[in-house]
Amino acid sequence: MASSDSVSQQEATRPARAWFARRADELAPALLGMRLVRLLDDGRQLAGEIVETEAYLGPVDRACHTFGGRRTARNEVMWGEPGRAYVYFTYGMHHCVNVVCGDCSGEAVLVRALAPIAGLELMGEHRRSRPDGRPARRSADTVPHRELCSGPARLCRALLIDLGLNGEDLVRSSRLFLEGPGRGRGLPGVAVNTTRIGIQRAGEWAAKPLRWYRAESPHVSVR
DNA sequence: ATGACGATTTACT
DNA sequence: GTAAATCGTCATA
């Protein structure tokens, strides 16, 4: 009762700004087990537990959008304060979402997969269609739960995360934010540390183990 | 102005 | 396993 209530309140705790102000390779594994929450304008909520992340270390990291100190309109948010969402558009059709971290140092953590928690039916509807209404897949079958958010672009589509949320402040926003796992949930599982996915032309940086995922999760994008 | 590329996903052989 | 989809971004001219 009293203890149960206090636990519930702890579970709803959002990280403060300072929690994000650290290296991407420290934040990436720390994000595992946290919930990413998306509140739509109509009040409906979509949420999932983060089960896969990748660290992008800033100017030194050849695979990072800020490599070499590049500062452009697209990656401007990465150079800003930690705790904001960096959303980018790629392959002419996909969005990916990152958590900006570090100290205005051009670092971020890519969220690569979620274990769906809330709004699964709506996620399925989003995944079957594109923003323009066209079908996203030929199969008329429903998207398997396992595949709802098992990939950086898939989870963005499921949660309706697009460029409109680029720069969103995860510390204050009611549209997109993080919540701690709390007690009784998200018990520390085994974190697997591997090389990043889809990094080809980054030389030695392609070989660095900067990806983390929950070994026991069926929602991870690539095993 | 032009061209190559992309932190992906899907379908198909 | 391979290839197509599809277009904003960035480097080069």
Side-chain angles (χ1 to χ4, degrees), chain A residues 80-97:
Chain A
E81 64 181 347
R84 289 185 180 268
Y86 168 51
V87 181
Y88 69 91
F89 181 68
T90 190
Y91 289 102
M93 61 189 93
H94 299 307
H95 295 277
C96 295
V97 63

Side-chain angles (χ1 to χ4, degrees), chain A residues 182-214:
Chain A
R183 280 197 280 160
R185 283 194 48 86
L187 294 175
V190 177
V192 181
N193 183 207
T194 72
T195 57
R196 295 173 290 187
I197 302 298
I199 305 300
Q200 309 292 342
R201 301 164 175 70
E204 61 179 357
W205 284 91
K208 295 187 181 293
L210 294 172
R211 170 180 179 241
W212 286 264
Y213 67 87
R214 279 287 171 80

